[in-house]
Amino acid sequence: MRFATLPSFLLCAMAAQAQVTLEFNDLVASGVQTNMYLLTSGAPSAPPSDGVNQSWNITGATWQPIGTMHFRPATGTPYAASYPAANWAWEFNFTGIGIEYLYMQIDNTGVYVVADRVPNATVNYTDTKKVLQFPMTFGNSFSDLYEGDSGPATVTWSYSGHGTLLTTLGNYPDLAKVASNESDIVFWNKAPLYPMVVAMSSSIRAFVDPVTAISEVNGGRTVLAYPNPCTDRLMIDGVEAAGWRITDLNGRTVRTGSFVATGVLEMDIAGLESGSYLFLSDAGTGLRMVRFSKL
């Protein structure tokens, strides 16, 4: 692995204000589990803006649940023995398709990709590809020479933006925008450290914990579900008169309906199987979402 750290550069006069520094200690040893979404329409017409204290508003985008992502230690994954240098993995569980892995080596210098798309369309890196350095602050850049199945190449990554991402899945502050000269953009969450949004030329995915993914776009109220866990009756507070649906964590819709009044509403969920679900209501002020468990 060969890389050269470039000089820091000033992107705007506000750079001295509070900002996110991405550090090795931000990793959580047990990993992070999220739901996985694919942007299906309403993609921004221009790249997200650079600078600190940005407000990236993509509330016009539509997101489709496509499965789950587990950012976890590589130990215990089925292909770990084939990649002994890897100590972490991104485990993508695509609904109705199966599981795919991205294996990484992570240490106090950065995040290095060892193999991608394992085992379906595996890309092996004989010289690992660095995608993040530690520590990394606003204005930092680095270049990395790597080699994959297509031969050697060089990539440059720049921490060019810091701010809040506004989506129908929720509002997420203090994200770091790290972009490459290969047209990839990653919005990194700091604590715990994981990629919340990954934008590539072929797709844009979001990785969101459904417990925290309650939209408050346009000043909407927070949705509450109680008792939680529940048995046969579920109370929903905070939604407007609108259509609603309940999905499992794989994105399958298990029940739909509509509310004709605003306030505290009671739902009969006795017929649902035991497990975890998402309640979603798409009112005029944006998508509302809350997670609940059925005993």
Side-chain angles (χ1 to χ4, degrees), residues 1-17:
M1 168 59 54
R2 293 170 293 184
F3 66 92
T5 301
L6 302 181
S8 297
F9 56 95
L10 186 63
L11 293 182
C12 76
M14 299 172 63
Q17 296 184 11

Side-chain angles (χ1 to χ4, degrees), residues 162-187:
H162 161 262
T164 299
L165 185 66
L166 309 177
T167 79
T168 53
L169 299 173
N171 301 338
Y172 305 99
D174 293 330
L175 299 183
K177 174 195 170 188
V178 182
S180 80
N181 62 342
E182 296 178 331
S183 300
D184 297 330
I185 299 174
V186 181
F187 286 94

